[in-house]
Amino acid sequence: PVFDDPAFDHHEQIVFCHDPQSGLRAIIALHNTNRGPALGGARMWNYADSAAALTDVLRLSRGMTYKSALAGLPFGGGKAVILGDPKHDKSPDLFHALGRYVDSLGGRYTVAEDVGIDVADIEQVAHETAHVAGVPAGGSGDPSPATAYGVFVGIRAAIKHRLGADRIAGDKLTGISVAIQGAGHVGYELARHLTGAGADVQIADVDPARVKRAQDDLGATPIATDHFLEAEVDVLAPCALGGLLDDTTIPKLRTSIVAGAANNQLAETRHGEMLRERGILYAPDYVINAGGIINISYEGASYDRARAFSHVALIHDTLLAIFQRAEAAGIPTSQAADRLAEERFTHPNPDPAQA
Ligand code: NAD
């Protein structure tokens, strides 16, 4: 029931891919290409059934439209999901078949990595199509440092708006406390930026070795994973899992700001309003974590990391604009972000260079 799926949101095109020889079963969804060709990762996951895969790809591709629009990128939103177990079901043939499907879209969709897919898989896809991103040849490498840098500048914007510009002394964040959930690719790198700026960083991870690394290398203070949400800090930075802000957890928060990299932090849309009612400033996840895709957009023979990172730095101003709009309209920041994105992708863009 594609058109009746609750996640269906006027998607432009949905492609069901089946290649019996390789066993590929995949769905590619293009949500909106008004700003340019769709860019988004392929996810491989052992979905309970094809309905669950469809819902996921519809939701994820829609999210990419919003993310690219607010990052000022000339891309639309698209995503692919492969039904299968990433540990057992991968083969070069499977990714070649996916590549042929991506190629059949003639450039309307560019594929990159997502959960369950790594660089080697996308290199196999690249045997069959040029419409790939995030591969080492001509690529920009691991997007996590760019994501972390975007979260860092986003945290600065949130501090300015919620706590006052006087809490930031020049480039320094002395006297600011931040708790990070997840000391992985993004969380560790974010901790490095924050401690470098003089902030007091607490860090939680289910993997003790990762916490120890952040403690030894950066001087971060370890905290128990189940104390993260209740940490009494200026900023909570979720950099592990989504869905952590809900009816049970929001009343427990003792922070003024939630600003981190994790995707889909609000369990439901209405939790944006709940945070607002509690006076907690929320940096919408798809705005603050766009550094990685911004970096990917600069890929190519002339990739220039400094240029890409200057673009990532604009996340600071985008967030300030969203915070101000939300305050003026008396709406949650998550809703202000959605509205701003919709203004940017609802109509076809006549000049992609101005996207
Ligand atoms: P990662 O797998 O490198 O790190 C995640 C870390 O979280 C791991 O160290 C893991 O042990 C830890 N973790 C898992 N459950 C936890 C829990 N309950 N409490 C504390 N720690 C826990 O992932 P990443 O690439 O750093 O991404 C982090 C988040 O940011 C993810 O939600 C991801 O979707 C999102 N994100 C990442 C990027 C990127 O460029 N990597 C871009 C956009 C969004």
Side-chain angles (χ1 to χ4, degrees):
V2 177
F3 298 113
D4 300 323
D5 190 297
F8 179 75
D9 179 48
H10 312 289
H11 286 68
E12 283 178 19
Q13 187 177 7
I14 301 158
V15 184
F16 292 83
C17 316
H18 181 224
D19 179 64
Q21 212 179 344
S22 64
L24 176 77
R25 291 193 306 148
I27 312 174
I28 301 173
L30 307 190
H31 174 251
N32 183 295
T33 59
N34 281 346
R35 292 177 63 84
L39 173 65
R43 173 172 292 194
M44 186 162 186
W45 195 253
N46 222 352
Y47 291 101
D49 52 33
S50 51
L54 175 66
T55 301
D56 205 30
V57 77
L58 292 175
R59 198 178 49 84
L60 292 167
S61 57
R62 177 180 183 273
M64 291 308 295
T65 302
Y66 282 76
K67 185 182 282 211
S68 282
L70 280 188
L73 300 175
F75 299 131
K79 207 91 181 182
V81 296
I82 301 172
L83 290 81
D85 182 343
K87 286 210 174 80
H88 302 112
D89 298 338
K90 287 185 179 179
S91 71
D93 282 354
L94 182 110
F95 290 111
H96 295 165
L98 180 70
R100 288 192 292 276
Y101 277 105
V102 170
D103 207 58
S104 75
L105 293 168
R108 273 170 57 72
Y109 172 58
T110 297
V111 64
E113 297 99 24
D114 193 67
V115 175
I117 296 289
D118 50 41
V119 172
D121 304 328
I122 298 298
E123 283 175 331
Q124 293 296 336
V125 174
H127 283 277
E128 300 288 342
T129 181
H131 304 297
V132 296
V135 284
S140 53
D142 177 9
S144 308
T147 303
Y149 180 59
V151 175
F152 175 63
V153 300
I155 286 177
R156 295 172 64 89
I159 293 168
K160 274 186 202 163
H161 184 83
R162 179 66 179 74
L163 305 176
D166 55 331
R167 292 292 303 276
I168 299 184
D171 278 346
K172 288 285 170 200
L173 293 179
T174 318
I176 296 288
S177 53
V178 183
I180 302 176
Q181 184 187 43
H185 287 99
V186 179
Y188 177 86
E189 196 60 21
L190 173 63
R192 202 176 58 74
H193 283 295
L194 289 167
T195 51
D200 166 26
V201 173
Q202 305 176 17
I203 200 152
D205 198 295
V206 287
D207 180 348
R210 294 199 164 177
V211 175
K212 185 158 185 333
R213 187 170 69 121
Q215 185 180 15
D216 293 349
D217 297 359
L218 309 170
T221 308
I223 49 166
T225 49
D226 49 3
H227 286 164
F228 167 74
L229 284 162
E230 290 165 52
E232 203 169 347
V233 285
D234 297 310
V235 183
L236 276 190
C239 296
L241 309 170
L244 74 166
L245 300 168
D246 61 22
D247 293 341
T248 316
T249 57
I250 292 174
K252 293 184 186 162
L253 300 181
R254 295 196 289 172
T255 185
S256 314
I257 294 167
V258 177
N263 277 312
N264 303 320
Q265 291 172 37
L266 302 176
E268 293 172 45
T269 312
R270 65 187 175 83
H271 293 117
E273 176 59 24
M274 214 168 150
L275 287 168
R276 192 183 79 87
E277 281 167 4
R278 281 219 50 206
I280 297 170
L281 182 66
Y282 171 62
D285 44 20
Y286 67 79
V287 184
I288 197 169
N289 74 14
I293 192 170
I294 293 173
N295 193 47
I296 282 180
S297 77
Y298 282 82
E299 268 188 1
S302 59
Y303 172 68
D304 176 347
R305 185 179 158 96
R307 253 185 89 215
F309 273 57
S310 327
H311 189 159
V312 174
L314 298 177
I315 288 175
H316 174 277
D317 293 359
T318 305
L319 278 172
L320 277 184
I322 288 166
F323 296 153
Q324 284 154 8
R325 270 182 168 226
E327 200 167 271
I331 57 173
T333 52
S334 44
Q335 195 181 336
D338 285 355
R339 283 189 189 170
L340 187 60
E342 283 155 11
E343 282 168 21
R344 294 184 180 185
F345 73 72
T346 304
H347 300 292
N349 179 25
D351 178 2
Q354 298 300 310

